[in-house]
C-alpha cells in the first residue's frame, strides 16, 4: 500500500504541508497550479500518496486518475476559453520527469501559444513494426 515519502515536495504540497494554488482536492488527490506554467491555467494532478511514476501505480488508483484529468481539462478549457488542452505525464528523467512523484499535467492550449509538445515523426519499417508488435504483445500477457 502506497504511503507518503519523506522529503518529497509533492507529498508535502498534496497533503497541505506546503501551500499551493489548489483548484481541487479529494481524499486521493490535490490539483494545483504549476509554479512555472507552460501556459496560464497549467495544472498538476497529484496523488496524496507517493508513487515515483505511472508504472509504480496500482490499477485501482490509476483508474481514478483519468476521470479527474478529464474533469480538470473541461474546467480549464471553459474557464480560460482555451482552444485545446494537453493531458500528459512524464516517467523518469530521460522522458522529462523532474519531480519524482507521479503527476499529470493539464495544459490549456491557445492558438499561436509558445508551448512545445513535439517529436520528430520517423519513418517506420513494416517488418520491424510487425516484429516489435509481437514482442510487445507477448510482454502484455
Ligand atoms: P515534470 O517535469 O513532468 O516532472 O513536471 C514537474 C512540474 O512541477 C514542472 O512543470 C514544474 O514547474 C512543477 N513544479 C515544481 N515544483 C513545484 C512547486 N513547488 N509547485 C508547483 N509546481 C511545481
Ligand atoms: Zn511524494
Amino acid at each position: 500500500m502506497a504511503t507518503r515519502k519523506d522529503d518529497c515536495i509533492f507529498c508535502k504540497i498534496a497533503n497541505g504541508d506546503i501551500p499551493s494554488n489548489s483548484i481541487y482536492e479529494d481524499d486521493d488527490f490535490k490539483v494545483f497550479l504549476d509554479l512555472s506554467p507552460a501556459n496560464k491555467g497549467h495544472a498538476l494532478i497529484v496523488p496524496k500518496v507517493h508513487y515515483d511514476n505511472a508504472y509504480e501505480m496500482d490499477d485501482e488508483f490509476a483508474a481514478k486518475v483519468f476521470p479527474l484529468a478529464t474533469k480538470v481539462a473541461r474546467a480549464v478549457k471553459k474557464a480560460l476559453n482555451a482552444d485545446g488542452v494537453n493531458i500528459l505525464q512524464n516517467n523518469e528523467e530521460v522522458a522529462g520527469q523532474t519531480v519524482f512523484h507521479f503527476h499529470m499535467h493539464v495544459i490549456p492550449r491557445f492558438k499561436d501559444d509558445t508551448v512545445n509538445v513535439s517529436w520528430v515523426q520517423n519513418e517506420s519499417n513494416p517488418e520491424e513494426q510487425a516484429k516489435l508488435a509481437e514482442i510487445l504483445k507477448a510482454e502484455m500477457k
Side-chain angles (χ1 to χ4, degrees):
M1 166 122 181
T3 54
R4 291 177 59 170
K5 185 178 176 187
D6 288 345
D7 297 326
C8 169
I9 186 157
F10 277 10
C11 279
K12 290 193 171 97
I13 295 174
N15 290 282
D17 299 344
I18 294 177
S20 63
N21 289 300
S22 173
I23 64 169
Y24 174 85
E25 184 169 5
D26 62 23
D27 289 347
D28 297 310
F29 299 95
K30 187 171 281 218
V31 183
F32 53 89
L33 294 181
D34 196 295
L35 191 62
S36 311
N39 255 345
K40 277 196 172 72
H42 180 171
L44 300 173
I45 297 170
V46 180
K48 291 184 174 182
V49 290
H50 186 92
Y51 299 97
D52 281 347
N53 52 47
Y55 26 85
E56 279 215 338
M57 193 174 281
D58 55 87
D59 289 354
E60 194 187 338
F61 204 93
K64 296 175 181 174
V65 176
F66 215 75
L68 182 52
T70 56
K71 185 181 170 80
V72 175
R74 283 191 288 266
V76 296
K77 179 168 165 58
K78 189 169 171 207
L80 295 161
N81 201 22
D83 300 310
V85 178
N86 288 119
I87 299 173
L88 57 91
Q89 64 87 220
N90 304 319
N91 300 287
E92 301 192 74
E93 195 173 351
V94 72
Q97 189 175 7
T98 58
V99 176
F100 298 93
H101 173 128
F102 172 93
H103 52 281
M104 189 163 267
H105 297 260
V106 181
I107 306 174
R109 298 298 305 271
F110 305 92
K111 194 173 173 294
D112 301 325
D113 69 19
T114 59
V115 180
N116 182 13
V117 182
S118 70
W119 54 86
V120 174
Q121 290 190 297
N122 297 296
E123 280 189 17
S124 63
N125 172 305
E127 279 176 23
E128 207 177 280
Q129 290 285 81
K131 271 190 205 156
L132 194 51
E134 287 307 316
I135 291 167
L136 293 174
K137 204 185 287 178
E139 195 63 41
M140 293 293 289
K141 281 180 184 155

